[in-house]
């Protein structure tokens, strides 16, 4: 089975090629788009095959003995270049293979990607049904994304990983900008891509450092090199810390961590399946995957670990608070995604790699489910996303309701559901691990409570209470077709049960973590002096967090079902705070203030840019860039080029002077003659040449 | 103190000495013959003069060719020599004279001044140049110079009903006479210092001078006079006016042959008389060359009249050639020779096109007269383009080879000698190099007019078999020298053999 | 004695030279030039160059200056007297001329002492027994034969030229 | 016995007077005469040298100079006449058809 | 056949002249324009095909010059007295550039089928002449010969810009000509200095480049010669302060002109540095390395910033190529093996992607007669194929992995980074990549996305077969280089190692360990 590993990414690629080329051909020759059945059967078929292959590979992987569960396959030599001198002082040739690596970690990833991906593809058939011209475009892009994502997770070296990394960025660019006629979509797409590029900037430099220190970018070789050269953690800030930090910068961009998270909410401009697949389940977790993958490096850079944990938990907190007050259903989910990603990074930061990946998996299930659910709601309401115009949909959309319900409870951390296990693992590790810190735990628990609150709030506002539907949509709201609901159900089952793969220590063996062991084997003994806590402690903490979650749920119930007036009263009472949080801490506005107004002050320069000043950091910085660009543009015209023309003018002017000298009077000419003689001979008389 | 030759050996005296000046004699005799048969020729058939003159030049060229190789160090008691240098330059003169005559006859009809004296004078002027090239004695040198000059004064003023022509000739004449006064003064001093009129004897004398103050004065008066003839700044002022006013064919002749002759004696004097006192003049000459190149090019930039523009460009070229004189090495001489060779063809070609454009009521001198030439006569336009590219020194044309050798000689002497003059030579080379760019700019103003401007003046150019012939010859040689310069380089090196 | 003669002749020469350049009327300045040339001829005699002195008087005074006078008469004189005699640049010109002559003189004064050495050996020393004219003649017909012949061509050219330039249309 | 220096100085003076004449006078004919003056100074030099060197070639040279002077005068005056018949002037500062 | 292989370089170089001759003698009259187009296209196409053996036979021992390692060497005396020879020969670097030239030459000629309507005859003559000049530059092993070709191709380019160009074409053309000429006369002086120094050392008069590469020139002289050559090449590239002729030339030139200009002419400058400056003047290169890197990096960032502000698509692309060539120069100058190979590969990449981008702009210009970005928007629904091609080329120019741009930029930066002294410059270069994404995507977004404001854009025809034909080879190349650059890189290792060995002796040839200082 394993020898067909390479097919897993290639299949979606073929799907992309077929759909893309045939569709393009069709539309450019006949003007009519490709027939839908052909398109989706190709797209979903390829992904399904990939999924079944993935299962097959997974199966044959777990047949193997845990210690040789790392399979590397080099497909072909990609880049060959001259020599560089590595850290150890000897020469290494730049020789990079296009290779694949299947180990527990990537196995888990491909299962999630292909599995969830397939479901979302199926769901999209229904969701995109009413889009005529773009149907083939959409599915070919989706397949392209699958290919890139699988390349990313299956790569066996940093550079191929970077290929996938950029590739998913590209396909997300295409899919966010899918609604071509919407300007906001285009802007969001560009914003996403450029912010990601800022992250990639860090990533690529990290790769260059890695190569020029270790002379290779192959995962296993690099990690061996790390162990060889840095047997102990780097207590002083050194090259390894730099590598780790730069990698993390890349991760921040891709996984929307502060301060590079601003693109994700905007990315909701894309179709909902896209948000589900790319901006919830898979792509945004690439950062987590990458950090987990290179945990060998991180485990030896404690300072960076601290930064990762700090930024992660902080992001979790901020995003959660913002999510509590959003009115747009997809925005809520977007911020919650950011918050959950924060969790994962916190986990990685405290050294709980397995826990982080575990949460990644569970999150993939329930967050995809939530998005798809919201998608079916949106479709039912004819693309209405504002929760204030929903409510009481339960009776119209039963399936959507219960599936989303499960997902909500899962993410809220209700015991027995997947979210509970993964989140609890993270919290426990952040408490118990040596790299952990009590503060992280506290904030984590707090965030758990808030999560419970805002998710329930979303449920209540959407499905319960009185109907606030707009009249025009009110009377033909009905449940989505099976092609959309079936994936919901499957995912619901998934998000209910996958949690049992990773039981807490006091319940039983943690299969998942144990399975992942080989991937991170031997990376931690360096920092491993765990003081063992009794199970009681763990249980106690769990109880505590669960109660907090319960409180969250209750508060939501209290405010949005029981005493709705109260909520408004509270809002009135704490208007200031509410305003602050409701407006996402004015982050975007602050950026505007920082860049845009300053820009305005710079006078007429900016008149050109005010027109296209959009919110946010990117455009703010873009503004700055454009100012400097404008200035250098002006410089180019008015200084560099001016000098050139100036020379020309000088010549022409002196030419006219010389013409004046040529008076046409013969005696003047004779005069020059004499002057010439005088000059020459006085040269001798006075200078004595 | 030589006795008068006895009758017995008189004959072989002339046989011996006569062959040294055989080509000149040819020209002179044919010229005299032409003057004699003048009144026999009916006025309406006066092209005969042209053919006559052609015959003379061809005969002389044949004679010269027969003399090729067997040089004669001195003849007529050390008045003239027939060394490879002289032969090379004589050939140059003959070629340019021939081309001038061939391109003239139609033109003189257009100007309605078709007269035999014109051709006779060209022959005499050419013979004067040949005497200059061969002269190794101050007196014969001076006489040759004057023969050439006076003939040229007349030729410049030959269109005597044309105000511009009169004006040109009076200016040229006054300044020319003035300059020959200056040269003579220098020569008289040189004679006083050298105690003889024979160049080599002077050289041996002045080598022993303990104080060369007066020598310096003499040198620079002569150099000033020669600079006048080769049109170097600041002695160049006559050039634009004279070139504009003179009959175009004569302008061509002057810009090529007269310049070449002046350079010939320039080199001769420099190398024979001041061979070992280079330090004295090279600095000044370098400065003059620099100024000349720049002045010529810069003044041409906005020049609306093309004849004047070419005049200025020829000033600049004089500067370039002067570079070869400055270094005063053998490769310098080679460079000058090659440059003059290339310059003869490309410049005559350009002037020939100017003559073509002189059509009945159009002067062909304004930039507009070139508009759209390409669309009406692509061949002519392309030839003109080739000449201009070559003048600007763009490969693969003759001008590039010429410029290459000039630059090479300067840089070589920078390398070999070092010493005090290095810095000035470096500057010289830089200035010259950048001037190439400037020159291209004004040449291309005309190219643009020819190739891009659409409005063509609806008047046919004045073709003639002769002009076509000239254009073909000059054009093909301009290209040939550019692509396969080897044989021409050999000639030039041969010429430079005669010094040191 | 000889030096006194020299100074007298030199004085005359310079004075008449200056008059030539400054006189209003061309005819006048022609006459002054003639006298300057005569003074020069005197100096030639002083320098035992009788032949040259004779040539000077015959050719210059007898030939060239007469030609000048003809032309002056041809282009009418009266019309010319009326106008200014000097061109606009005359002040500059005079200054430069003075500078030039001063520099020349400096050169000469500095450099002339090399001649005070005994007369150099030279290719053609005058035989004291022969007469100046004769020996010049000999030279002209032997050593300087070629220039002499070319000079004849030169004169011919000049003649033809003068004719060509002044000939009336027929 | 007057030494050569005096003659040289005399000739320089005459020469420069001639130069000044060329530079200042408007009348072409007088300019021509000034040129004759310059040539005359040259002759003075030559003769003086030939006396000092006891070499006759100086005098021969002078002969040729006079010849050339004659030729130049002839040609020059011819040009002057041609000019006068076209332009009715012999003033050099009115001859500026071509400039620039 | 054997004759063909013996003189292949000569044949490839002068083959276009055949076309010129044909076109010149072809009967006059507008009705023959069509046949002239056919002739030109066929000649160019055949020219490409007969250049293919250069690859297939490249490693055939019988064509390898044993002591120099050059291929297909052909030597003949030209001007013996000065030692100038007619000597051709190629190594991996020039081979790639030659093939790029023949290919792009054909594409450019094909692309002007409908674009050029008047004075067709001359147009194609100039193009074929240009082809000869460019090929000669890449083949010449004799400095004199090189210089001749170097100058020769100025004239046709001048006319291509000056006759078929835009409104300010004359200004642009003469600016291009004068700028380049100014550089190349200084280059000539440099060459002469080398020539005479060589003579003073070896006593032979020769312009043999390979011989000059063996000289060890004293430092002082090296710096002077380097400066002289630097102007010659840097103006051609163009590097930062000398770049102002480029936007004008590009904007005014006809599409095909811009394509050739960007794809080949600019490479002549970079090629000059690789072939001459580095190996002949290694110490001087290292001596000036710092300012050179500064200029390159300024070029990268400055070019990108200026590009961002352009309202004219063509100008934007023009400035973007200033930025890309900054990468080339960065890689070339730092001269670590990886960087140098990257720099050379980046030349090819820039030729492919920027050439294609100019074609793209040209096509839209031909349809709408405007290049202002503001006049477009929402085209991707009207012209889906065009949009796809445009997207691919945009991505390749912003260095998207799996496309050619990425390989070049990565190798350049990696190579620079590998030298501890110049790490920082790699980082700056990487900034350039981010900016690149910004301006190219912004361009793409403004042209392709958004609503369709302008009605006249509503029924623009999509690409036709001929236009597809111009793009297909470029797209294939883009992916080929992006996915399997080994094909091309393998030709570079050998020459690059020679050069590096000259510039940084023993630095990248095996040494005992611990030679490396860990900072």
């Amino acid at each position: 089975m394993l020898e067909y590993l390479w097919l897993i990414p290639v299949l979606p690629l073929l799907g992309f090629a077929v759909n893309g080329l045939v569709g393009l051909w069709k539309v450019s020759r006949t003007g009519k788009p490709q027939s839908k059945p052909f398109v989706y059967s190709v797209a979903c078929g390829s992904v399904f095959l990939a999924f079944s292959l993935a299962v097959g590979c997974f199966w044959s992987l777990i047949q193997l003995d845990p210690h040789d569960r790392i399979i590397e396959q080099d497909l072909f030599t990609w880049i060959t270049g001259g020599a560089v001198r590595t850290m150890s002082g000897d020469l290494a040739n730049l020789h990079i293979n296009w290779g694949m690596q299947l180990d527990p970690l990537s196995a888990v990833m491909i299962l999630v990607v292909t599995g969830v991906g397939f479901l979302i593809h199926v769901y999209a058939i229904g969701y995109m049904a009413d889009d005529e011209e773009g149907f083939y475009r959409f599915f070919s892009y989706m397949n392209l994304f699958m290919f890139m994502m699988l390349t990313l997770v299956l790569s066996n070296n940093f550079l191929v990983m970077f290929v996938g990394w950029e590739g998913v960025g590209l396909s997300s660019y295409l899919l966010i900008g899918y609604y071509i006629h919407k300007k906001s979509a285009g802007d969001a797409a560009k914003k996403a891509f450029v912010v990601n590029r800022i992250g990639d900037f860090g990533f690529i430099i990290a790769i260059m450092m890695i190569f020029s220190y270790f002379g290779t970018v192959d995962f296993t070789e690099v990690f061996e090199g790390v162990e060889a050269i840095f047997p102990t953690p780097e207590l002083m800030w050194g090259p390894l810390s730099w590598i780790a930090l730069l990698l993390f910068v890349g991760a921040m961009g891709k996984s929307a961590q502060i301060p590079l998270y601003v693109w994700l909410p905007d990315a909701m401009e894309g179709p909902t399946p896209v948000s589900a697949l790319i901006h919830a389940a898979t792509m945004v977790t690439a950062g987590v995957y990458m950090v987990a993958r290179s945990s060998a490096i991180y485990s030896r850079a404690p300072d960076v670990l601290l930064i990762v944990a700090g930024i992660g938990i902080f992001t979790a907190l901020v995003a959660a608070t913002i999510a509590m007050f959003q009115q747009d259903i997809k925005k809520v989910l977007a911020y919650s995604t950011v918050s959950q990603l924060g969790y994962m990074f916190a986990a990685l930061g405290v050294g709980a790699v397995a826990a982080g990946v575990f949460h990644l998996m569970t999150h993939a299930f329930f967050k995809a489910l939530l998005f798809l659910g919201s998608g079916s709601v949106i479709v039912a309401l004819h693309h209405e996303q504002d929760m204030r115009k929903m409510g009481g949909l339960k009776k119209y959309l039963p399936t959507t309701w219960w599936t989303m319900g499960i997902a909500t409870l899962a993410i809220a951390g209700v015991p027995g559901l997947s979210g509970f296990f993964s989140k609890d693992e993270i919290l426990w590790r952040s408490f118990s691990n040596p790299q952990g810190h009590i503060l992280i735990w506290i904030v984590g628990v707090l965030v758990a409570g808030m999560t419970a609150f805002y998710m329930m709030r979303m449920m209540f506002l959407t499905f319960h209470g009185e109907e606030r539907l707009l009249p025009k949509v009110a009377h033909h709201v009905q449940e989505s077709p099976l092609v959309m609901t079936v994936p919901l159900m499957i995912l619901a089952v998934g998000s209910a049960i996958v949690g049992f793969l990773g039981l807490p220590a006091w319940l039983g063996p943690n299969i998942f973590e144990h399975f992942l062991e080989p991937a991170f084997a031997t990376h931690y003994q360096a920092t491993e002096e765990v003081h063992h806590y009794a199970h009681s402690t763990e249980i106690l903490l769990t109880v505590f967090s669960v109660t907090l979650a319960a409180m969250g749920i209750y508060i939501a119930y209290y405010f949005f079902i029981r005493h709705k007036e109260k909520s408004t009263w509270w809002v009135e009472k704490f208007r200031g705070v509410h305003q602050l949080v409701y407006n996402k801490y004015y982050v975007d506005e602050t950026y505007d203030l920082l860049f845009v107004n300053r820009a305005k002050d710079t006078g007429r320069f900016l008149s050109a840019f005010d027109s296209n000043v959009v919110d946010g950091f990117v455009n703010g910085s873009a503004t700055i860039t454009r100012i400097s660009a404008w200035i250098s543009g002006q410089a180019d015209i008015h200084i560099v080029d001016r000098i050139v023309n100036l020379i020309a003018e000088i010549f022409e002017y002196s030419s006219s002077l010389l013409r004046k000298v040529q008076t046409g009077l013969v005696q003047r000419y004779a005069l020059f003659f004499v002057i010439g003689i005088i000059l020459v001979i006085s040269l001798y008389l006075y200078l004595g040449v | 103190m030589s006795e008068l030759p006895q009758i017995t050996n008189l004959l072989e005296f002339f046989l011996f000495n006569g062959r040294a000046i055989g080509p000149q004699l040819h020209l002179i005799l044919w010229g005299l013959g032409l003057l004699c048969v003048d009144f026999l020729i009916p006025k309406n058939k006066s092209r005969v003069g042209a053919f006559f003159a052609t015959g003379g030049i061809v005969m002389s060229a044949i004679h010269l060719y027969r003399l090729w190789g067997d040089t004669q160090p001195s003849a007529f008691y050390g008045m003239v020599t027939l060394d490879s240098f002289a032969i090379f330059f004589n050939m140059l003169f003959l070629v340019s004279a021939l081309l001038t005559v061939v391109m003239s006859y139609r033109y003189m009809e257009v100007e309605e001044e078709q007269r035999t004296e014109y051709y006779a004078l060209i022959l005499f002027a050419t013979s004067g140049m040949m005497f200059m090239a061969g002269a190794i004695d101050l007196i014969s040198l001076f006489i040759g110079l004057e023969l050439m000059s006076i003939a040229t004064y007349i030729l410049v003023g030959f269109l005597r009903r044309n105000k511009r022509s009169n004006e040109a000739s009076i200016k040229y004449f006054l300044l020319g006479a003035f300059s020959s006064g200056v040269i003579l003064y220098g020569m008289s001093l040189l004679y006083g210092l050298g105690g003889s009129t024979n160049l080599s004897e002077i050289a041996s004398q002045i080598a022993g001078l303990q104080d060369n103050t007066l020598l310096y004065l003499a040198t620079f008066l002569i150099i000033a006079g020669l600079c006048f003839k080769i049109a170097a700044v600041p002695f160049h002022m006559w050039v634009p006016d004279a070139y504009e006013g003179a009959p175009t064919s004569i302008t061509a002749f002057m810009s090529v042959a007269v310049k070449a002759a002046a350079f010939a004696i320039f080199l001769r004097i420099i190398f024979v008389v001041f061979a070992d006192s280079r330090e004295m003049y090279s600095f000044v000459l370098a400065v003059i060359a620099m100024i000349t190149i720049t002045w010529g090019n810069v003044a041409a930039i906005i020049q609306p009249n093309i004849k004047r523009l070419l005049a200025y460009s020829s000033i600049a070229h004089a500067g370039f050639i002067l570079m070869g004189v400055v270094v005063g090495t053998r490769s310098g001489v080679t460079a000058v020779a090659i440059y003059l060779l290339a310059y003869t063809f490309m410049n005559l070609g350009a002037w020939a096109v100017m003559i073509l454009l002189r059509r009945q009521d159009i002067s062909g001198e304004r930039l507009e007269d070139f508009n759209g030439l390409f669309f009406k006569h692509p061949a002519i336009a392309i030839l003109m383009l080739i000449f201009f590219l070559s003048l600007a020194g763009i490969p693969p044309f003759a001008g590039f080879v010429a410029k290459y050798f000039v630059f090479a000689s300067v840089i070589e002497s920078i390398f070999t000698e070092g010493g005090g003059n290095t810095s000035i030579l470096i500057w010289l080379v830089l200035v010259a190099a950048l001037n190439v760019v400037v020159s291209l700019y004004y040449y291309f103003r005309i190219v643009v007019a020819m190739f891009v401007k659409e409005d063509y003046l609806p008047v046919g150019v004045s073709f003639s078999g002769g002009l076509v012939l000239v254009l073909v010859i000059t054009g093909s040689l301009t290209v040939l020298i550019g692509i396969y310069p080897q044989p021409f380089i050999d000639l030039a090196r041969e010429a430079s053999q005669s010094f040191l | 004695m000889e030096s006194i003669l020299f100074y007298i002749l030199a004085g005359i020469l310079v004075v008449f030279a200056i008059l030539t350049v400054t006189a209003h009327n061309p005819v006048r300045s022609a006459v002054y030039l003639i006298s300057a040339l005569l003074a020069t001829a005197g100096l030639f005699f002083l320098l035992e160059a009788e032949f040259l002195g004779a040539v000077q008087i015959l050719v210059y005074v007898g030939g060239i200056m007469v030609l000048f006078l003809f032309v002056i008469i041809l282009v009418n004189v009266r019309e010319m007297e009326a106008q200014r005699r000097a061109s606009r640049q005359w002040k500059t010109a005079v200054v430069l001329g003075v500078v030039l002559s001063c520099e020349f003189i400096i050169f000469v004064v500095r450099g002339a002492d090399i001649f005070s050495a005994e007369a150099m050996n030279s290719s053609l020393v005058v035989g004291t027994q022969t007469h100046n004219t004769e020996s010049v003649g000999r030279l002209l017909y032997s050593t300087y034969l070629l220039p002499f012949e070319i000079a004849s061509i030169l004169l011919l050219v000049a003649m033809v030229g003068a004719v060509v330039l002044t000939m009336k249309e027929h | 016995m007057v030494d050569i220096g005096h003659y040289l100085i005399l000739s320089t003076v005459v020469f420069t007077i001639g130069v000044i004449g060329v530079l200042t006078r408007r009348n072409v004919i007088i300019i021509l005469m000034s040129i004759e003056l310059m040539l005359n100074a040259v002759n003075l030099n030559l003769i003086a040298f030939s006396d000092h060197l006891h070499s006759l070639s100086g005098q021969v040279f002078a002969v040729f100079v006079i010849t050339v002077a004659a030729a130049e005068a002839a040609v020059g005056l011819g040009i002057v006449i041609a000019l006068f018949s076209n332009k009715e002037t012999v003033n050099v500062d009115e001859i500026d058809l071509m400039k620039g | 056949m054997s004759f063909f292989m013996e003189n292949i370089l000569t044949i490839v170089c002068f083959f276009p002249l055949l076309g010129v001759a044909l076109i010149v003698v072809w009967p006059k009259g507008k009705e023959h324009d069509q046949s002239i187009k056919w002739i030109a296209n066929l000649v160019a196409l055949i020219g490409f095909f007969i250049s293919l053996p250069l690859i297939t036979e490249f490693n055939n021992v019988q064509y390898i010059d044993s002591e120099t390692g050059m291929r297909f060497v052909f030597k003949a005396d030209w001007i013996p007295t000065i030692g100038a020879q007619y000597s051709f020969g190629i190594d991996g670097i020039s081979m790639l550039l030659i093939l790029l030239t023949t290919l792009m030459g054909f594409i450019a000629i094909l692309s002007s089928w409908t674009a050029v309507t008047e004075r067709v005859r001359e147009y194609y003559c100039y193009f074929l002449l240009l082809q000869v000049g460019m090929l000669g530059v890449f083949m010449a092993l004799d400095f004199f010969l090189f210089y001749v070709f170097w100058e020769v191709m100025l004239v046709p380019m001048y006319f291509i810009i000056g006759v078929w160009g835009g409104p300010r074409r004359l200004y642009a053309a003469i600016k291009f000509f004068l700028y380049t000429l100014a550089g190349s006369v200084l280059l000539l002086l440099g060459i002469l200095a080398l020539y005479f120094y060589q003579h003073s050392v070896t006593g032979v008069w020769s312009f043999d480049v390979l011989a000059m590469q063996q000289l060890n020139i004293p430092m002082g002289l090296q710096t002077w010669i380097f400066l002289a050559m630097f102007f010659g090449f840097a103006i051609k590239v163009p590097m930062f302060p000398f770049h102002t002729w480029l936007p004008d030339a590009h904007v005014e030139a006809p599409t095909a002109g811009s394509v050739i200009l960007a794809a080949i002419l600019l490479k002549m400058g970079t090629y000059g540095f690789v072939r001459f400056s580095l190996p002949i003047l290694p110490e001087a290169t290292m001596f000036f390395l710092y300012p050179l890197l500064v200029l390159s990096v300024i070029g990268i960032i400055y070019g990108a910033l200026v590009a961002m502000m352009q309202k004219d698509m063509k100008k934007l692309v023009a400035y973007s190529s200033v930025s890309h060539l900054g990468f080339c120069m960065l890689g070339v100058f730092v001269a670590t093996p990886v960087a140098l190979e990257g720099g050379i590969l980046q030349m090819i990449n820039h030729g492919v992607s920027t050439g294609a981008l100019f074609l793209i702009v040209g096509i839209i210009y031909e349809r709408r007669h405007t290049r202002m970005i503001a006049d477009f928007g929402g085209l991707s629904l009207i012209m889906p194929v065009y949009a796809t091609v445009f997207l691919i080329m945009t991505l390749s120019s912003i260095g998207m992995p799996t496309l050619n741009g990425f390989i070049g930029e990565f190798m350049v930066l990696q190579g620079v980074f590998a030298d501890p002294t110049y790490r920082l410059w790699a980082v700056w270069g990487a900034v350039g990549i981010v900016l690149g994404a910004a301006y190219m995507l912004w361009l793409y977004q403004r042209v392709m996305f958004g609503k369709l404001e302008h009605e006249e854009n509503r029924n623009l025809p999509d690409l036709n077969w001929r236009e597809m034909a111009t793009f297909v080879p470029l797209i294939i190349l883009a992916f080929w280089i992006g996915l399997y650059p080994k094909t091309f890189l393998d030709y570079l290792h050998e020459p690059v190692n020679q050069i590096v060995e000259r510039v940084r002796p023993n630095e990248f040839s095996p040494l005992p360990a611990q030679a490396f200082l860990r900072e």
Side-chain angles (χ1 to χ4, degrees), chain D residues 6-68:
Chain D
H6 293 72
Y7 283 99
L8 293 186
I9 291 175
L10 177 62
S11 75
T12 54
V13 172
V14 178
F15 186 80
T16 41
I17 292 173
V19 170
I20 292 174
V22 173
L23 291 184
T24 50
R25 298 306 301 264
R26 303 171 63 221
N27 186 327
V28 179
I29 301 174
I30 297 184
I31 292 177
L32 281 176
M33 295 192 218
S34 317
I35 292 174
E36 298 296 339
L37 263 184
M38 291 163 66
L39 297 179
N40 197 46
V42 171
N43 286 347
L44 197 52
N45 259 355
L46 289 168
I47 305 300
F49 277 126
S50 82
D51 170 63
H52 169 263
L53 300 167
H54 307 305
S55 126
L56 276 183
S57 37
Q59 300 192 15
V60 180
F61 204 154
V63 172
F64 285 111
V65 172
I66 294 175
T67 324
V68 167

Side-chain angles (χ1 to χ4, degrees), chain B residues 19 37 44 53 57 67 80 112 127 152 221 233 269 367 375 444 449 451 454 456 496:
Chain B
R19 58 183 293 287
V37 299
N44 53 5
I57 297 169
L67 290 179
V80 292
E112 295 157 349
S127 65
T152 335
L221 290 180
V233 180
I269 291 177
L367 189 53
F375 304 107
F444 264 63
F451 283 80
E454 301 278 346
Y456 177 73
S496 63

Side-chain angles (χ1 to χ4, degrees), chain E residues 380-448:
Chain E
S380 58
L381 293 181
I382 315 294
M383 316 166 67
V385 182
Y386 179 76
T388 318
V389 175
F390 195 167
L391 182 64
I392 294 174
M393 282 313 163
T394 306
L395 295 176
S396 103
S397 109
I398 67 177
M400 168 66 57
T402 71
L403 282 165
N404 53 356
F406 171 72
I407 309 290
E409 285 171 357
F410 172 72
M411 287 182 76
V412 167
L413 295 179
Q414 179 63 75
V416 176
F417 203 90
D419 183 338
T421 330
Y422 304 108
R423 291 245 152 103
L424 200 58
W425 298 108
V427 178
W428 282 112
V431 173
I433 300 188
V434 177
L435 292 173
Y439 65 77
M440 282 313 288
L441 286 179
W442 195 35
L443 168 70
Y444 189 76
Q445 181 198 350
R446 282 180 295 174
V447 175
M448 287 298 162

